[in-house]
């Protein structure tokens, strides 16, 4: 029997997840069978067109009619529609996979995590932090868990894009606090915060973030509305943020993201330094991990994470036949849908989404108050 999937959202993320579901039977034959049953949105014509292209059986303009009719509900809409439909689905006992950031506000994220807790462990509620599913990131996690880097001292993460560097770039929901919650902070920073928590958040590594200081900046306050003959709308979110972190074990962290980093399109990079070694990862070279072992005194070596025994790689091509960004969606869909079929748990969960949101909210609070904020 196939799992029937309802998906809210048919643009960028709708396409990424629909593509992932379509790839599963070919490359992950052990994944449960899924049917792209119903695509949800507001505009019927656009929905019809998208459903055709993305392989959905039906469309609906009312998520409330869908959430308890399907075996899993994907919430891939803008941030301001994350909470209500996801909570309704969980209340109906339907597993939910929600795009990041979990919600526009900490309050919404808390309500979503509460709903997930109440739904119980056999109703997976996942937050789609896809970068956890890069093979090189899984490889890095294994090294860290095996203690290869020793005591963690420095953790660095930056996520740079440049699609708003032109002051005439059009206004979108991503520029609006009501709709998005925050700007570069939530959209990009959420990924980095989650990735660092995934990699070094264990108690025997850096542990939780204890306290932080944050700084936000909006460079362009108003943007033209596309096709509206000169009308502009205010930008009410950050274009860039930076933060300093202190971890439980005393490690220091620095974070940064921007939509104004000229020339950088999707440059997400992580660096970790421990007493025994260092590692570097960049999304722009996502098949590689750079590792330095202090005792070997040879500088960084580049590990190509494309071997059959590397995480997820055996499902794809022979060694050296590299993977890309879209594969991360296939991997996370495989894990999420397997959890749905087995009634098992999925990580990153809504709880992980909430933990990331707590960090984002503290960064905003620190910026507003001009002081360090404790997360305890
Ligand atoms: C923003 O440009 C964006 O599409 C994010 O929303 C995604 O989460 C990120 O993976 C790529 O950039």
């Amino acid at each position: 029997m196939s799992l029937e999937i309802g998906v809210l959202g048919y643009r960028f993320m709708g396409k990424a997840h629909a593509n992932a579901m379509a790839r599963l039977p070919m490359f992950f034959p052990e994944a449960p069978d899924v049917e792209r049953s119903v695509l949800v949105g507001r505009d019927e014509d656009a929905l019809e067109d998208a459903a055709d292209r993305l392989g959905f059986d039906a469309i609906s303009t009312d998520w409330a009619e869908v959430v308890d009719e399907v075996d899993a509900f994907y919430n891939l809409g803008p941030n301001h529609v994350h909470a209500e439909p996801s909570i309704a689905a969980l209340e109906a006992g339907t597993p939910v996979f929600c795009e990041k950031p979990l919600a526009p506000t900490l309050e919404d994220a808390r309500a979503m995590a509460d709903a997930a807790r109440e739904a119980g462990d056999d109703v997976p509620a996942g937050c789609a932090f896809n970068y956890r599913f890069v093979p090189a990131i899984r490889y890095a996690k294994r090294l860290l868990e095996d203690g290869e880097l020793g005591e963690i001292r420095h953790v660095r993460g930056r996520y740079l894009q440049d699609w708003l560097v032109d002051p005439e770039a059009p206004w979108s929901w991503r520029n609006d606090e009501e709709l998005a919650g925050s700007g570069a902070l939530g959209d990009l920073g959420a990924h980095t915060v989650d990735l660092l928590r995934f990699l070094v958040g264990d108690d025997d590594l850096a542990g939780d973030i204890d306290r932080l200081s944050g700084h936000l900046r909006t460079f362009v306050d108003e943007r033209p509305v596309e096709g509206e003959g000169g009308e502009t709308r205010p930008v009410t979110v950050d274009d860039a943020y930076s933060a300093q972190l202190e971890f439980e074990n005393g490690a220091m962290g620095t974070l940064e993201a921007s939509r104004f980093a000229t020339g950088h399109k999707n440059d997400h990079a992580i660096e970790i330094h421990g007493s025994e070694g260092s590692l570097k990862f960049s999304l722009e070279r996502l098949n590689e991990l750079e590792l330095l072992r202090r005792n070997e005194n040879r500088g960084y070596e580049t590990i190509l994470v494309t071997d059959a025994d590397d995480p997820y790689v055996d499902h794809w091509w022979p060694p050296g036949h590299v993977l890309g960004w879209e594969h991360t969606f296939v991997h996370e869909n495989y894990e999420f849908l397997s959890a749905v079929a087995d009634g098992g748990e999925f990580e990153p969960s809504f709880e992980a989404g909430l933990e990331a949101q707590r960090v984002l909210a503290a960064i905003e609070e620190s910026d507003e108050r001009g002081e360090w904020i404790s997360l305890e």
Side-chain angles (χ1 to χ4, degrees), residues 86-107:
S86 300
I87 292 171
L90 289 167
E91 283 173 353
T94 305
V96 177
F97 202 21
C98 183
E99 262 306 328
K100 44 51 61 181
L102 187 59
T105 62
L106 185 55
E107 195 188 349

PDB file of all heavy atoms in Angstrom, residues 86-107:
ATOM      1  N   SER A  86       0.216  22.837  10.143  1.00  0.00           N
ATOM      2  CA  SER A  86       1.031  21.757  10.733  1.00  0.00           C
ATOM      3  C   SER A  86       0.410  21.283  12.039  1.00  0.00           C
ATOM      4  O   SER A  86       0.343  20.072  12.310  1.00  0.00           O
ATOM      5  CB  SER A  86       2.462  22.243  11.005  1.00  0.00           C
ATOM      6  OG  SER A  86       3.073  22.648   9.818  1.00  0.00           O
ATOM      7  N   ILE A  87      -0.048  22.229  12.848  1.00  0.00           N
ATOM      8  CA  ILE A  87      -0.674  21.859  14.128  1.00  0.00           C
ATOM      9  C   ILE A  87      -1.964  21.077  13.868  1.00  0.00           C
ATOM     10  O   ILE A  87      -2.221  20.043  14.493  1.00  0.00           O
ATOM     11  CB  ILE A  87      -0.914  23.114  14.999  1.00  0.00           C
ATOM     12  CG1 ILE A  87       0.445  23.674  15.449  1.00  0.00           C
ATOM     13  CG2 ILE A  87      -1.799  22.797  16.204  1.00  0.00           C
ATOM     14  CD1 ILE A  87       0.392  25.022  16.142  1.00  0.00           C
ATOM     15  N   ALA A  88      -2.759  21.544  12.901  1.00  0.00           N
ATOM     16  CA  ALA A  88      -4.011  20.843  12.583  1.00  0.00           C
ATOM     17  C   ALA A  88      -3.722  19.420  12.124  1.00  0.00           C
ATOM     18  O   ALA A  88      -4.422  18.470  12.510  1.00  0.00           O
ATOM     19  CB  ALA A  88      -4.781  21.610  11.508  1.00  0.00           C
ATOM     20  N   ALA A  89      -2.698  19.254  11.306  1.00  0.00           N
ATOM     21  CA  ALA A  89      -2.351  17.912  10.827  1.00  0.00           C
ATOM     22  C   ALA A  89      -1.956  17.028  12.010  1.00  0.00           C
ATOM     23  O   ALA A  89      -2.441  15.900  12.152  1.00  0.00           O
ATOM     24  CB  ALA A  89      -1.210  17.997   9.814  1.00  0.00           C
ATOM     25  N   LEU A  90      -1.100  17.541  12.877  1.00  0.00           N
ATOM     26  CA  LEU A  90      -0.642  16.732  14.020  1.00  0.00           C
ATOM     27  C   LEU A  90      -1.804  16.392  14.945  1.00  0.00           C
ATOM     28  O   LEU A  90      -1.881  15.283  15.475  1.00  0.00           O
ATOM     29  CB  LEU A  90       0.464  17.476  14.778  1.00  0.00           C
ATOM     30  CG  LEU A  90       1.797  17.560  14.010  1.00  0.00           C
ATOM     31  CD1 LEU A  90       2.737  18.570  14.655  1.00  0.00           C
ATOM     32  CD2 LEU A  90       2.457  16.174  13.924  1.00  0.00           C
ATOM     33  N   GLU A  91      -2.735  17.335  15.114  1.00  0.00           N
ATOM     34  CA  GLU A  91      -3.913  17.054  15.951  1.00  0.00           C
ATOM     35  C   GLU A  91      -4.771  15.943  15.350  1.00  0.00           C
ATOM     36  O   GLU A  91      -5.457  15.225  16.060  1.00  0.00           O
ATOM     37  CB  GLU A  91      -4.732  18.335  16.160  1.00  0.00           C
ATOM     38  CG  GLU A  91      -4.059  19.231  17.192  1.00  0.00           C
ATOM     39  CD  GLU A  91      -4.728  20.604  17.340  1.00  0.00           C
ATOM     40  OE1 GLU A  91      -5.633  20.934  16.551  1.00  0.00           O
ATOM     41  OE2 GLU A  91      -4.292  21.342  18.254  1.00  0.00           O
ATOM     42  N   ALA A  92      -4.685  15.830  14.008  1.00  0.00           N
ATOM     43  CA  ALA A  92      -5.435  14.750  13.343  1.00  0.00           C
ATOM     44  C   ALA A  92      -4.611  13.458  13.305  1.00  0.00           C
ATOM     45  O   ALA A  92      -5.028  12.479  12.690  1.00  0.00           O
ATOM     46  CB  ALA A  92      -5.801  15.186  11.929  1.00  0.00           C
ATOM     47  N   GLY A  93      -3.413  13.481  13.899  1.00  0.00           N
ATOM     48  CA  GLY A  93      -2.565  12.283  13.923  1.00  0.00           C
ATOM     49  C   GLY A  93      -1.803  12.069  12.625  1.00  0.00           C
ATOM     50  O   GLY A  93      -1.285  10.975  12.370  1.00  0.00           O
ATOM     51  N   THR A  94      -1.704  13.115  11.799  1.00  0.00           N
ATOM     52  CA  THR A  94      -0.990  12.999  10.516  1.00  0.00           C
ATOM     53  C   THR A  94       0.456  13.474  10.680  1.00  0.00           C
ATOM     54  O   THR A  94       0.684  14.598  11.141  1.00  0.00           O
ATOM     55  CB  THR A  94      -1.680  13.880   9.436  1.00  0.00           C
ATOM     56  OG1 THR A  94      -3.051  13.505   9.359  1.00  0.00           O
ATOM     57  CG2 THR A  94      -1.016  13.729   8.090  1.00  0.00           C
ATOM     58  N   PRO A  95       1.435  12.637  10.289  1.00  0.00           N
ATOM     59  CA  PRO A  95       2.835  13.078  10.330  1.00  0.00           C
ATOM     60  C   PRO A  95       3.046  14.329   9.470  1.00  0.00           C
ATOM     61  O   PRO A  95       2.381  14.482   8.435  1.00  0.00           O
ATOM     62  CB  PRO A  95       3.596  11.892   9.733  1.00  0.00           C
ATOM     63  CG  PRO A  95       2.715  10.711   9.935  1.00  0.00           C
ATOM     64  CD  PRO A  95       1.302  11.240   9.832  1.00  0.00           C
ATOM     65  N   VAL A  96       3.965  15.181   9.912  1.00  0.00           N
ATOM     66  CA  VAL A  96       4.208  16.442   9.198  1.00  0.00           C
ATOM     67  C   VAL A  96       5.695  16.601   8.905  1.00  0.00           C
ATOM     68  O   VAL A  96       6.541  16.331   9.770  1.00  0.00           O
ATOM     69  CB  VAL A  96       3.739  17.652  10.052  1.00  0.00           C
ATOM     70  CG1 VAL A  96       4.063  18.963   9.343  1.00  0.00           C
ATOM     71  CG2 VAL A  96       2.242  17.571  10.321  1.00  0.00           C
ATOM     72  N   PHE A  97       5.988  17.052   7.695  1.00  0.00           N
ATOM     73  CA  PHE A  97       7.351  17.450   7.345  1.00  0.00           C
ATOM     74  C   PHE A  97       7.259  18.929   6.985  1.00  0.00           C
ATOM     75  O   PHE A  97       6.554  19.301   6.036  1.00  0.00           O
ATOM     76  CB  PHE A  97       7.818  16.621   6.143  1.00  0.00           C
ATOM     77  CG  PHE A  97       9.302  16.518   5.992  1.00  0.00           C
ATOM     78  CD1 PHE A  97      10.160  16.740   7.058  1.00  0.00           C
ATOM     79  CD2 PHE A  97       9.869  16.156   4.772  1.00  0.00           C
ATOM     80  CE1 PHE A  97      11.534  16.616   6.923  1.00  0.00           C
ATOM     81  CE2 PHE A  97      11.238  16.024   4.615  1.00  0.00           C
ATOM     82  CZ  PHE A  97      12.069  16.253   5.701  1.00  0.00           C
ATOM     83  N   CYS A  98       7.935  19.788   7.753  1.00  0.00           N
ATOM     84  CA  CYS A  98       7.786  21.236   7.577  1.00  0.00           C
ATOM     85  C   CYS A  98       9.123  21.859   7.190  1.00  0.00           C
ATOM     86  O   CYS A  98      10.159  21.518   7.773  1.00  0.00           O
ATOM     87  CB  CYS A  98       7.275  21.848   8.889  1.00  0.00           C
ATOM     88  SG  CYS A  98       6.963  23.611   8.763  1.00  0.00           S
ATOM     89  N   GLU A  99       9.094  22.769   6.248  1.00  0.00           N
ATOM     90  CA  GLU A  99      10.323  23.459   5.855  1.00  0.00           C
ATOM     91  C   GLU A  99      10.847  24.339   6.999  1.00  0.00           C
ATOM     92  O   GLU A  99      10.132  24.664   7.950  1.00  0.00           O
ATOM     93  CB  GLU A  99      10.091  24.296   4.587  1.00  0.00           C
ATOM     94  CG  GLU A  99      10.536  23.599   3.319  1.00  0.00           C
ATOM     95  CD  GLU A  99      11.998  23.127   3.353  1.00  0.00           C
ATOM     96  OE1 GLU A  99      12.839  23.781   3.994  1.00  0.00           O
ATOM     97  OE2 GLU A  99      12.303  22.078   2.755  1.00  0.00           O
ATOM     98  N   LYS A 100      12.091  24.716   6.889  1.00  0.00           N
ATOM     99  CA  LYS A 100      12.727  25.566   7.891  1.00  0.00           C
ATOM    100  C   LYS A 100      12.587  27.022   7.486  1.00  0.00           C
ATOM    101  O   LYS A 100      12.384  27.267   6.281  1.00  0.00           O
ATOM    102  CB  LYS A 100      14.201  25.204   8.098  1.00  0.00           C
ATOM    103  CG  LYS A 100      15.006  24.940   6.831  1.00  0.00           C
ATOM    104  CD  LYS A 100      14.978  25.944   5.708  1.00  0.00           C
ATOM    105  CE  LYS A 100      15.499  27.333   6.057  1.00  0.00           C
ATOM    106  NZ  LYS A 100      15.384  28.228   4.834  1.00  0.00           N
ATOM    107  N   PRO A 101      12.709  28.003   8.387  1.00  0.00           N
ATOM    108  CA  PRO A 101      12.751  27.799   9.833  1.00  0.00           C
ATOM    109  C   PRO A 101      11.393  27.250  10.277  1.00  0.00           C
ATOM    110  O   PRO A 101      10.389  27.490   9.598  1.00  0.00           O
ATOM    111  CB  PRO A 101      12.991  29.205  10.384  1.00  0.00           C
ATOM    112  CG  PRO A 101      12.402  30.109   9.349  1.00  0.00           C
ATOM    113  CD  PRO A 101      12.655  29.431   8.033  1.00  0.00           C
ATOM    114  N   LEU A 102      11.358  26.547  11.420  1.00  0.00           N
ATOM    115  CA  LEU A 102      10.127  25.886  11.818  1.00  0.00           C
ATOM    116  C   LEU A 102       8.953  26.863  11.795  1.00  0.00           C
ATOM    117  O   LEU A 102       7.857  26.502  11.380  1.00  0.00           O
ATOM    118  CB  LEU A 102      10.299  25.267  13.210  1.00  0.00           C
ATOM    119  CG  LEU A 102       9.139  24.396  13.670  1.00  0.00           C
ATOM    120  CD1 LEU A 102       8.898  23.239  12.720  1.00  0.00           C
ATOM    121  CD2 LEU A 102       9.361  23.891  15.083  1.00  0.00           C
ATOM    122  N   ALA A 103       9.188  28.103  12.241  1.00  0.00           N
ATOM    123  CA  ALA A 103       8.092  29.084  12.308  1.00  0.00           C
ATOM    124  C   ALA A 103       8.675  30.489  12.243  1.00  0.00           C
ATOM    125  O   ALA A 103       9.867  30.681  12.444  1.00  0.00           O
ATOM    126  CB  ALA A 103       7.327  28.885  13.613  1.00  0.00           C
ATOM    127  N   PRO A 104       7.819  31.481  11.991  1.00  0.00           N
ATOM    128  CA  PRO A 104       8.338  32.860  11.986  1.00  0.00           C
ATOM    129  C   PRO A 104       8.668  33.372  13.382  1.00  0.00           C
ATOM    130  O   PRO A 104       9.487  34.267  13.535  1.00  0.00           O
ATOM    131  CB  PRO A 104       7.204  33.678  11.357  1.00  0.00           C
ATOM    132  CG  PRO A 104       6.009  32.809  11.314  1.00  0.00           C
ATOM    133  CD  PRO A 104       6.434  31.387  11.532  1.00  0.00           C
ATOM    134  N   THR A 105       8.008  32.826  14.409  1.00  0.00           N
ATOM    135  CA  THR A 105       8.255  33.319  15.765  1.00  0.00           C
ATOM    136  C   THR A 105       8.523  32.138  16.706  1.00  0.00           C
ATOM    137  O   THR A 105       8.107  31.006  16.444  1.00  0.00           O
ATOM    138  CB  THR A 105       7.022  34.063  16.323  1.00  0.00           C
ATOM    139  OG1 THR A 105       5.940  33.112  16.393  1.00  0.00           O
ATOM    140  CG2 THR A 105       6.624  35.237  15.451  1.00  0.00           C
ATOM    141  N   LEU A 106       9.146  32.474  17.845  1.00  0.00           N
ATOM    142  CA  LEU A 106       9.419  31.451  18.858  1.00  0.00           C
ATOM    143  C   LEU A 106       8.108  30.907  19.420  1.00  0.00           C
ATOM    144  O   LEU A 106       7.977  29.702  19.674  1.00  0.00           O
ATOM    145  CB  LEU A 106      10.273  32.078  19.975  1.00  0.00           C
ATOM    146  CG  LEU A 106      10.753  31.142  21.068  1.00  0.00           C
ATOM    147  CD1 LEU A 106      11.520  29.959  20.495  1.00  0.00           C
ATOM    148  CD2 LEU A 106      11.639  31.914  22.055  1.00  0.00           C
ATOM    149  N   GLU A 107       7.140  31.798  19.554  1.00  0.00           N
ATOM    150  CA  GLU A 107       5.830  31.388  20.077  1.00  0.00           C
ATOM    151  C   GLU A 107       5.186  30.312  19.179  1.00  0.00           C
ATOM    152  O   GLU A 107       4.710  29.276  19.660  1.00  0.00           O
ATOM    153  CB  GLU A 107       4.947  32.629  20.114  1.00  0.00           C
ATOM    154  CG  GLU A 107       3.706  32.501  20.940  1.00  0.00           C
ATOM    155  CD  GLU A 107       2.817  33.727  20.730  1.00  0.00           C
ATOM    156  OE1 GLU A 107       3.263  34.729  20.114  1.00  0.00           O
ATOM    157  OE2 GLU A 107       1.660  33.649  21.166  1.00  0.00           O
TER     158      GLU A 107
END
